[in-house]
């Protein structure tokens, strides 16, 4: 197996990802404090759930920033392809926190308030805090949406979410979307409990918030799990490498390619190719360098390109055996 090393460290994260996280962090911290104060004054179950929700989101943003910092470390002897997957690990932890510290606590709070309903007081304070929270969350949501739209290109929103290799933006976007839904449920629950004189509805609102958080946690966990265990890079990266390799005069045939997403900006590719029979080893090495340099001009996230000389028959046989699994 031959490799042409790029010698490039892990790529720096786009500033947009950090902007999204910083905006969400500042908003959630301020909102969490305000919600807990309002919950203490009013006794509202929904406000307690919302306070927990915002506190969890604040911790999540700190974890994402930590994950970004860890993912940017240079490759070393034990991590030759860099530390990009650290971000995927911490994003998965965020998903677990949303469920464990958000959905479960909110659900418990809701059940307790339904079993032991007590009317809330100081409704005006709660309404003011919820209204201000909607403004802050809406601003953070818009920033995250703007960054997500800029990165998704022509893909639809759901397709872009499923195919995204950078969990920071879509995590914050999902969290903020869940936060806005939670605020809506809290507002409706408080209002209905006050107008209908049914304090149990405040607890129902907490259960609705718990359901929103559980659904959000499930989506985040499913997507980050795929990135954590290993996903292929975007198909257009593989297609372009095959095109470049096939066009090189020293390559008789590009048999196939496998890619691995090592981080949001780190891709490793393994190419099977048949070279012209009369090419010398120096010529093959120069060919590998040409292919890699051509691809890296378009995709600088390519960390390493491994090229294995193989005939098409050998490649197909080994590929079939690999897909078939162990006997």
């Amino acid at each position: 197996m031959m490799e042409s090393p790029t010698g490039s460290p892990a790529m720096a994260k786009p500033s947009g990802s950090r902007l999204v996280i910083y905006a969400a962090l500042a908003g959630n911290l301020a909102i969490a404090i305000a919600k807990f104060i309002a919950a203490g004054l009013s006794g509202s179950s929904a406000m307690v759930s919302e306070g927990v929700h915002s506190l969890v989101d604040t911790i999540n943003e700190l974890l994402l920033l930590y994950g970004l910092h860890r993912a940017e470390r240079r490759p070393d002897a034990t991590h030759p392809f860099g530390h990009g997957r650290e971000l995927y690990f911490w994003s998965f932890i965020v998903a677990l926190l949303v469920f464990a510290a958000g959905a479960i606590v909110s659900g418990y709070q809701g059940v307790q308030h339904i079993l032991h309903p007590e009317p809330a007081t100081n409704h005006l304070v709660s309404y003011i805090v919820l209204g201000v929270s909607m403004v802050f969350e809406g601003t953070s949501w818009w920033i995250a949406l703007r960054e997500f739209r800029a990165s998704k290109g022509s893909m639809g929103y759901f397709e872009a979410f499923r195919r995204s290799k950078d969990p920071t933006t879509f995590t914050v976007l999902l969290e903020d979307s869940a936060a806005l839904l939670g605020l809506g449920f809290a507002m409706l629950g408080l209002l209905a409990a006050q107008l209908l004189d049914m304090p149990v509805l405040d607890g129902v609102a907490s259960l609705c918030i718990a359901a929103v958080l559980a659904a959000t946690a499930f989506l985040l966990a499913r997507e980050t799990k795929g990135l954590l265990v290993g996903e292929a890079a975007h198909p257009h990266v593989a297609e372009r490498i095959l095109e470049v390799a096939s066009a090189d005069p020293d390559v008789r045939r590009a048999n196939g390619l496998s890619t691995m997403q090592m981080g949001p900006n780190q891709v490793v590719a393994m190419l099977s190719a048949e070279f012209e029979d009369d090419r010398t080893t120096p010529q093959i090495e120069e060919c590998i360098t040409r292919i890699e340099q051509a691809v890296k001009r378009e995709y600088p996230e390519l960390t390493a390109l491994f090229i294995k000389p193989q005939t098409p028959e050998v490649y197909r046989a080994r590929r079939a055996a690999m897909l078939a699994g162990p006997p």
Side-chain angles (χ1 to χ4, degrees):
M1 181 179 295
M2 299 184 183
E3 179 203 2
S4 177
T6 65
S8 60
M11 297 295 293
K13 292 293 297 152
S15 59
S17 297
R18 279 196 168 82
L19 173 63
V20 169
I21 299 175
Y22 285 139
L25 176 62
N28 283 322
L29 180 59
I31 291 169
I33 295 172
K35 285 177 180 177
F36 280 123
I37 292 174
L41 294 175
S42 65
S44 167
S45 169
M47 288 303 298
V48 173
S49 297
E50 274 300 298
V52 171
H53 183 177
S54 293
L55 181 61
V56 170
D57 284 350
T58 301
I59 297 172
N60 289 344
E61 265 75 74
L62 291 173
L63 290 177
L64 287 177
L65 287 173
Y66 180 71
L68 282 173
H69 171 71
R70 298 280 296 179
E72 289 176 352
R73 290 182 298 161
R74 290 177 175 272
D76 53 40
T78 55
H79 299 87
F81 298 117
H83 299 75
R85 285 194 180 177
E86 283 245 19
L87 179 59
Y88 298 157
F89 170 77
W90 290 108
S91 297
F92 189 73
I93 296 299
V94 164
L96 296 181
L97 272 178
V98 169
F99 180 76
I104 293 179
V105 172
S106 296
Y108 173 79
Q109 186 70 25
V111 169
Q112 287 296 106
H113 201 80
I114 290 174
L115 295 177
H116 310 286
E118 292 185 10
T121 57
N122 294 313
H123 289 88
L124 181 60
V125 174
S126 296
Y127 292 140
I128 291 174
V129 170
L130 288 174
V132 172
S133 298
M134 287 181 178
V135 173
F136 279 104
E137 291 287 3
T139 302
S140 175
W141 178 85
W142 174 250
I143 293 173
L145 178 65
R146 185 183 62 188
E147 293 296 328
F148 189 71
R149 289 173 61 182
S151 63
K152 77 179 186 68
S154 60
M155 291 187 292
Y157 285 96
F158 185 72
E159 181 186 6
F161 169 68
R162 292 299 307 272
R163 295 177 62 179
S164 176
K165 306 302 180 183
D166 182 357
T168 54
T169 302
F170 74 66
T171 296
V172 175
L173 182 60
L174 270 181
E175 284 184 348
D176 288 344
S177 299
L180 288 172
L181 281 174
L183 288 168
F185 282 126
M187 181 75 78
L188 289 174
L190 276 174
L191 189 61
Q194 181 183 10
L195 295 180
L196 300 177
D197 195 23
M198 295 177 62
V200 69
L201 295 178
D202 193 15
V204 172
S206 288
L207 292 182
C208 292
I209 294 170
V212 169
L213 291 174
T216 301
F218 172 77
L219 289 174
L220 289 176
R222 185 180 67 176
E223 294 308 312
T224 53
K225 170 183 170 289
L227 294 169
L228 186 60
V229 299
E231 283 187 358
H234 289 297
H236 59 76
V237 177
E239 293 168 2
R240 184 56 183 151
I241 294 176
L242 287 173
E243 289 175 3
V244 172
S246 298
D248 193 283
D250 290 339
V251 176
R252 177 178 294 180
R253 184 179 292 102
N255 301 319
L257 185 80
S258 297
T259 61
M260 179 70 71
Q261 193 79 35
M262 304 302 294
N265 294 288
Q266 293 171 269
V267 175
V268 173
M270 290 71 72
L271 172 67
S272 170
E274 182 182 18
F275 294 92
E276 296 292 349
D277 292 337
D278 60 349
R279 298 308 191 260
T280 64
T281 297
Q283 288 175 317
I284 293 176
E285 291 175 347
E286 291 175 2
C287 172
I288 293 173
T289 301
R290 284 196 305 271
I291 294 172
E292 185 180 37
Q293 290 177 346
V295 176
K296 276 187 63 63
R297 282 194 290 269
E298 298 182 44
Y299 303 104
E301 63 268 29
L302 183 65
T303 301
L305 174 62
F306 297 89
I307 299 183
K308 185 170 187 177
Q310 281 181 320
T311 63
E313 295 76 19
V314 171
Y315 169 75
R316 286 194 293 267
R318 294 185 178 179
R319 181 75 176 172
M322 182 187 68
L323 294 176

